[in-house]
């Protein structure tokens, strides 16, 4: 299927090369490694926190690589993801919605980190595109005496809105268009459909909380540039 995807993209002259195949091969290797690691970590809460930290660091690197590799971007992404993920995971477990067990912490944390990474990248890229496309408007506001934050306020809000639409739509259509992984995994593990549904609901709410915070924070950090970007590659 990965080869077929690469062939279709090549035929359509989409400049991605072998990236679909490489992505699937990498995923297979990483999942095999993860299976070995989890067999050791699943019994110790401390090991799970350590692995979540590794996942978060990789998410920061991956997102920053897509946005820009400056120190400001890296620190902004790290702050956005850490704050969003910590708020979502903390709320889920402190409220008692999910038991604080190694298997639950790893499942909830991993899903939230992955989704928050995607939203953070998309939000920052959207902001960069908005600022580049509306460069004249931003410079006009600055010429009238507005601060950098005031001149870019509309575009920060719009970028956050656009980046969150896929997550909101996915939540709205859960069970109708998509069969979520947390739900099916819980059912296969022996949970009742009701328990699995409640677990999935907590995960979906956690994703929205974390993604919302991450999107707003990254746009606050990057939304007052000293120089408006001319174009986004």
């Amino acid at each position: 299927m990965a080869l077929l995807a690469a062939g279709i993209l090549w035929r359509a002259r989409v400049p991605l090369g072998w990236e679909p195949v490489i992505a699937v091969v990498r995923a297979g290797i990483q999942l095999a490694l993860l299976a070995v690691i989890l067999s050791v970590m699943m019994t110790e809460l401390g090991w799970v926190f350590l692995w979540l930290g590794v996942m978060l660091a990789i998410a920061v690197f991956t997102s920053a690589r897509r946005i820009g590799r400056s120190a400001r971007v890296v620190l902004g992404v790290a702050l956005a993801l850490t704050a969003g993920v910590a708020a979502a995971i903390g709320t889920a477990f402190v409220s008692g919605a999910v038991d604080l067990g190694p298997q639950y912490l790893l499942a909830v944390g991993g899903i939230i980190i992955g989704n928050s990474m995607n939203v953070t990248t998309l939000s920052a890229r959207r902001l960069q595109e908005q600022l580049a496309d509306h460069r004249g408007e931003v410079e006009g506001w600055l010429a009238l005496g507005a601060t950098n934050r005031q001149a870019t306020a509309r575009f920060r809000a719009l970028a956050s809105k656009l980046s969150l639409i896929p997550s909101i739509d996915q939540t709205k259509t859960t069970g109708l268009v998509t069969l979520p992984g947390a739900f099916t995994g819980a059912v296969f593990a022996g949970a009742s459909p009701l328990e699995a549904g409640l677990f999935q609901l907590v995960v979906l709410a956690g994703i929205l909380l974390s993604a919302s915070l991450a999107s707003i924070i990254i746009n606050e950090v990057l939304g007052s540039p000293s120089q408006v970007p001319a174009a986004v590659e």
Side-chain angles (χ1 to χ4, degrees), residues 116-150:
S116 299
M117 177 191 70
N118 293 335
V119 171
T120 299
T121 302
L122 182 58
S123 186
R125 295 283 294 181
R126 289 287 191 181
L127 177 62
Q128 291 171 337
E129 291 169 359
Q130 290 290 321
L131 294 181
D133 292 344
H134 297 85
R135 182 186 182 94
E137 180 179 339
V138 174
E139 291 179 342
W141 280 111
L142 292 173
L144 291 173
T147 64
N148 284 354
R149 292 191 73 259
Q150 290 171 333

Side-chain angles (χ1 to χ4, degrees), residues 10-231:
W10 172 79
R11 181 64 178 173
R13 298 185 179 180
V14 177
L16 282 175
W18 291 97
E19 285 198 34
V21 177
I22 294 172
V24 171
V25 172
R26 279 189 57 177
I29 295 172
Q30 289 161 190
L31 286 173
L33 179 62
L34 179 61
V36 175
I37 294 173
L38 290 185
S39 64
V40 177
M41 289 186 171
M42 286 296 284
T43 58
E44 295 291 338
L45 200 58
W47 283 111
V48 172
F49 276 112
L50 176 62
W51 184 247
L52 288 177
V54 172
M55 294 173 69
L56 186 61
I58 295 173
V60 169
F61 170 78
T62 303
S63 183
R65 184 167 57 90
R66 293 292 186 185
I67 300 169
R69 299 184 181 181
S70 68
R72 183 180 185 184
V73 169
V74 174
L75 291 175
V77 171
L79 176 62
L81 285 177
T82 301
V85 170
I89 293 178
T91 302
F93 289 103
V94 171
S95 66
V98 180
D99 293 332
L100 185 58
Q103 68 274 28
Y104 298 115
L105 177 60
L106 187 61
V108 173
I111 294 172
I112 289 176
I113 289 172
N115 282 272
S116 299
M117 177 191 70
N118 293 335
V119 171
T120 299
T121 302
L122 182 58
S123 186
R125 295 283 294 181
R126 289 287 191 181
L127 177 62
Q128 291 171 337
E129 291 169 359
Q130 290 290 321
L131 294 181
D133 292 344
H134 297 85
R135 182 186 182 94
E137 180 179 339
V138 174
E139 291 179 342
W141 280 111
L142 292 173
L144 291 173
T147 64
N148 284 354
R149 292 191 73 259
Q150 290 171 333
T152 61
R154 181 170 77 89
F155 306 112
R156 293 199 309 273
L158 181 59
S160 291
K161 175 186 175 181
L162 293 174
S163 68
L164 288 167
I165 286 176
S167 296
I168 293 173
D169 285 348
Q170 183 181 23
T171 302
K172 286 180 178 179
T173 58
T174 295
L176 298 176
V177 177
T178 60
L179 195 58
F183 176 83
T184 54
V187 170
F188 289 153
S192 69
L194 178 59
E195 292 173 332
L198 291 174
F199 179 66
Q200 180 64 57
L201 195 60
V202 171
V203 170
L204 291 172
I207 290 172
L208 290 179
L209 172 58
S210 179
S212 297
L213 280 173
S215 174
I216 291 171
I217 291 172
I218 190 62
N219 285 341
E220 285 293 327
V221 172
L222 303 181
S224 302
S226 57
Q227 182 177 0
V228 180

